[in-house]
Amino acid sequence: MEESLRHRAPHSALGRAGVSFAQLDTFWRKWVFSTDHKVIGLQYLGIASVMGVVGAFAAYLMRWQLAFPGSSAPLYGVLDPPPYNAWLTMHGTIMMFFVAMPLLLGAFGNYLVPLMVGARDMAFPRLNMVSVWTLGLASAIFLASFFVEEGPAAAGWTNYTPLSADPAFTGVGVGFDLWLVAVFVDFAAVLMSGINVLTTALNLRASGLTLMRLPLFVWTQIVAAVLFLFSAGPLMGAILMLLADRHWGTGFFLADRGGSPLLWQHLFWFFGHPEVYVILLPALGIFLEVFPTFARRPIAAYGTIVAALWASAALSFVVWAHHMFVSGMSVQLALPFSITTIIISVPFAIVLFALIATLRGAELQSATPFWFALSAVATFLLGGVTGIFLGSPAVDMYLHDTYFVVAHFHYTLFPSVVLGGFAGIYYWFPKMTGRLLGERLGQWHCGLTFVAFQFVFLPLFVAGVAGHMRRVYDPSYYAFLEPLLPLHRVATGATLVLLAAQILFLVNVVWSLWRGRVAASNPWGGTTLEWATTSPPPHENFAVAPVVVREPYLYARAAAGRVPNPQWSS
C-alpha cells in the first residue's frame, strides 16, 4: 500500500525509498537486481529465450530419431530410448512452463501493463524482482536435472502416476524430484507476477482510464492472472503429494497403498486445461493490439470480446475431463464434459471473428508484426477446429494418444507462443530498444516460420488418423507404421528449416540494435498509452502523468488516410 501511494505521488528527482537515480545507476542495481518493471520484463524475456533454445534442441533430437531411427543426430549422436523419453519430457515441460508463461505473462505482462495503464511501475516492484529471480532459481533447478546421475524426468510432461510415483518404473530418481521442485517454484514465481499484474491494472490506472477503456492486452493479462491464481493450487498440492508418495510412504496416487492413480490426472488437468488459456489469452491480447494498429480501424466488438474472455476463463474449469475420456470414466460423465468442451469454442470464435471483422474496410499497413499476427490467427483456426473433433468422446476414443493430438496441440500453442510471441516482439521492439527491426529480414523470417510449421505438423494429422501412436521411440518396430515413415521425414526436414529460419531473427536483432533505424515514440501509429512516452521509456515511464480522454483503437479520417486518435490528451 505504501508503495502504491508513493506511486501516485508527483514525479520527483528521487527514486523509491529516497534513493537518487545516480545511486540506482549501477550495473548490478540497474540490470541484475532491478525493480524497474521494464528491466524485469527483459529479464523474463532472456530466461524464456535461453530455455526456448533448450526446448527447440529437444524437439530437433526427437524429430531426428523419428525420421531416421537409430542414426546419429548431428551435434548429439545416437539417441537411445531412455534419453529419448527424457528429452521428450523436458521439451514439453520447458515449452509450457519455462517458455510460454515467462514470455507471454512475465516478459510482455511486466513490460507493457504499467505502460498501458499509465503507471510508473508495478504496484509491488520488490515482489516483481523476487518473482523473476524465483523463476531464475526454478530454471536452474530444472536444468540441473540434466546433470544428475540418472538424468532428468522421463515420464512425459504430464508425468502420469503410477509411472512417475515409483522411481523403479522410469529409472529416474533425483532427476524427477528436481522436476517436481522446479515446477513448484516456477508456479510460485508466476503467482507473484500475477498478483502484481492484477493489482497494477486495477489500482494504478491513469486518470480517465476506466475499465472499459483498458487496452484489450491488459484485459487478457488480468483474466490470465485470475485463471492461474485459481487453477495452480491443485497441481501445486499434487506435486507435494507426489513427492510424499515417492519419499515418505504415503499413497495418494498408488493403488497398492489405497490411493488412486487417476487422482493425479484429475488434478493435473484441472490445472492443465486452464493453463492452455493462461498462455493463449495474452497471445490473443497481442493480436488484439496489432490488428487495429495496422488495419487503421477500431477493434470490432470491444465489449463482447471482454465478456468472451471472462466466459472462456469460467468454462475452462469445467472441461478438464475431456483429456480423460479413455481413462474408464462413465459415459454419463463424458457427455457433459463433451458439451462444455464444444461450448468453450464459442468465446474464442467470437474473438477470432472480431479480429477478422476488424479487417473489413481496413487500410492495411504491411509490416512484420501484422504478418506474424495474421499467420498466427490462420494457424490457430485449424488448431481450434481440430479441438472440436477431440471434444467428441467417440472420435477421441480413436484419436487419443495419437499424433493427431500432437498436431492439434501444436496448432494451438505454436501460434500462441511462437507466432504470437514474435508478433509482440516485432511490434514492441522499437518501444523496448528505441530501434526498429529490419522489415525485409522480418518478413522472410515470418514467411519461412509459417510455411515450415505447416509442413511439420500437417503430416502429423495424417499420421494420427492412420493410427500412429505418440511417444514411440522407433516407428520401424511396428510394421503398420513403416508406410508413415516418409511423413516423419517431411516433418523433420521442415523442422530443420523452421529452426534455421530463427537465425534470420537473431541476425535481425543484432543488426538492428547496432544499425537499425531509430524509432520514434509512436512508430506504428498506435493509440494506447505505451506509445505516449519515448522509445525506450525513461525510468518511471512518463515525464508527466498521462490523462486518458477516450477509448483505445480510434482512428480519424484525414486526407492522407486514417490517422491515430490516441487515448491520451496531447
Side-chain angles (χ1 to χ4, degrees):
M1 177 62 74
E2 186 185 353
E3 286 180 336
S4 299
L5 292 173
R6 267 205 302 272
H7 182 91
R8 289 192 180 280
H11 294 213
S12 71
L14 294 181
R16 288 175 188 77
V19 180
S20 73
F21 292 156
Q23 288 174 279
L24 293 177
D25 196 20
T26 64
F27 175 82
W28 291 99
R29 189 73 175 85
K30 186 174 181 181
W31 294 108
V32 181
F33 299 108
S34 174
T35 54
D36 188 317
H37 71 99
K38 299 181 291 297
V39 176
I40 291 172
L42 296 176
Q43 289 173 334
Y44 269 107
L45 183 59
I47 292 173
S49 301
V50 170
M51 297 300 282
V53 171
V54 181
F57 186 69
Y60 152 71
L61 289 179
M62 288 187 294
R63 280 273 102 236
W64 186 274
Q65 165 60 26
L66 290 167
F68 310 105
S71 66
S72 178
L75 304 179
Y76 185 85
V78 176
L79 184 62
D80 293 325
Y84 177 87
N85 289 337
W87 281 109
L88 180 150
T89 301
M90 301 307 263
H91 168 73
T93 308
I94 287 172
M95 301 311 283
M96 289 294 290
F97 301 145
F98 291 91
V99 175
M101 290 198 301
L103 174 65
L104 297 170
L105 295 172
F108 289 122
N110 266 288
Y111 200 98
L112 294 168
V113 167
L115 286 169
M116 286 182 157
V117 302
R120 291 157 58 180
D121 206 323
M122 282 288 191
F124 309 111
R126 293 181 183 85
L127 181 68
N128 209 20
M129 180 182 70
V130 172
S131 74
V132 74
W133 279 104
T134 303
L135 176 68
L137 173 65
S139 304
I141 294 171
F142 189 82
L143 293 176
S145 70
F146 280 98
F147 301 100
V148 298
E149 184 177 355
E150 296 156 345
W157 79 279
T158 54
N159 280 299
Y160 280 174
T161 55
L163 181 63
S164 60
D166 190 333
F169 296 150
T170 60
V172 178
V174 176
F176 184 62
D177 293 336
L178 291 174
W179 186 98
L180 291 170
V181 173
V183 172
F184 188 93
V185 176
D186 176 55
F187 283 17
V190 179
L191 284 172
M192 284 187 266
S193 179
I195 290 167
N196 236 334
V197 166
L198 269 179
T199 311
T200 303
L202 296 179
N203 289 349
L204 299 185
R205 284 171 284 128
S207 176
L209 186 59
T210 62
L211 286 177
M212 294 310 285
R213 285 179 171 176
L214 278 177
L216 285 165
F217 176 81
V218 178
W219 271 117
T220 60
Q221 290 282 331
I222 291 172
V223 178
V226 171
L227 205 49
F228 193 84
L229 286 171
F230 279 97
S231 64
L235 185 58
M236 293 177 81
I239 286 173
L240 297 178
M241 292 156 68
L242 187 51
L243 274 171
D245 276 7
R246 287 169 63 87
H247 295 289
W248 301 309
T250 59
F252 294 108
F253 306 115
L254 291 170
D256 61 347
R257 298 181 196 168
S260 169
L262 274 183
L263 176 60
W264 172 268
Q265 289 194 39
H266 282 291
L267 294 173
F268 184 90
W269 287 117
F270 185 82
F271 161 78
H273 205 85
E275 160 70 0
V276 173
Y277 302 133
V278 167
I279 294 168
L280 171 61
L281 291 175
L284 289 177
I286 293 171
F287 310 150
L288 290 164
E289 298 301 320
V290 170
F291 267 57
T293 298
F294 294 99
R296 292 291 191 264
R297 284 210 64 214
I299 194 77
Y302 174 100
T304 308
I305 290 173
V306 174
L309 296 176
W310 285 110
S312 66
L315 286 167
S316 72
F317 287 107
V318 289
V319 298
W320 83 90
H322 74 235
H323 295 276
M324 302 167 60
F325 283 152
V326 298
S327 66
M329 70 161 50
S330 159
V331 175
Q332 284 77 19
L333 189 58
L335 181 61
F337 279 105
S338 174
I339 293 171
T340 53
T341 299
I342 292 169
I343 289 176
I344 202 171
S345 63
V346 174
F348 290 108
I350 289 172
V351 176
L352 292 179
F353 280 120
L355 285 168
I356 294 169
T358 302
L359 299 181
R360 183 173 178 272
E363 292 181 0
L364 285 181
Q365 317 288 307
S366 177
T368 305
F370 175 73
W371 294 119
F372 264 111
L374 189 64
S375 302
V377 170
T379 305
F380 181 77
L381 279 172
L382 186 54
V385 169
T386 51
I388 294 175
F389 297 165
L390 296 172
S392 164
V395 179
D396 186 75
M397 291 283 179
Y398 175 73
L399 293 174
H400 189 88
D401 258 346
T402 70
Y403 268 100
F404 187 94
V405 177
V406 176
H408 155 70
F409 190 60
H410 283 81
Y411 261 90
T412 55
L413 288 181
F414 188 89
S416 306
V417 180
V418 180
L419 298 177
F422 279 129
I425 290 172
Y426 277 93
Y427 186 54
W428 284 296
F429 187 89
K431 183 55 59 181
M432 294 175 176
T433 66
R435 300 273 181 175
L436 286 154
L437 283 165
E439 269 300 303
R440 179 172 297 182
L441 274 177
Q443 294 191 18
W444 271 103
H445 174 218
C446 176
L448 284 172
T449 301
F450 174 71
V451 173
F453 172 80
Q454 312 305 323
F455 279 92
V456 176
F457 289 100
L458 279 176
L460 300 188
F461 278 124
V462 179
V465 172
H468 195 323
M469 53 284 196
R470 62 195 291 197
R471 299 188 177 117
V472 171
Y473 166 71
D474 185 350
S476 66
Y477 287 170
Y478 304 89
F480 81 100
L481 294 183
E482 285 189 10
L484 304 177
L485 201 54
L487 296 176
H488 278 303
R489 290 183 176 155
V490 170
T492 299
T495 300
L496 297 176
V497 174
L498 179 61
L499 294 175
Q502 308 320 305
I503 296 172
L504 296 178
F505 174 68
L506 295 177
V507 171
N508 202 353
V509 168
V510 173
W511 175 262
S512 300
L513 286 174
W514 181 41
R515 299 292 295 270
R517 282 190 296 138
V518 175
S521 60
N522 190 5
W524 306 119
T527 61
T528 44
L529 282 182
E530 78 272 27
W531 305 111
T533 186
T534 57
S535 300
H539 189 68
E540 299 194 338
N541 297 338
F542 301 94
V544 177
V547 176
V548 172
V549 293
R550 60 181 67 86
E551 289 71 24
Y553 319 122
L554 296 181
Y555 289 85
R557 289 196 174 279
R562 296 189 186 115
V563 295
N565 195 9
Q567 275 195 293
W568 63 93
S569 62
S570 54

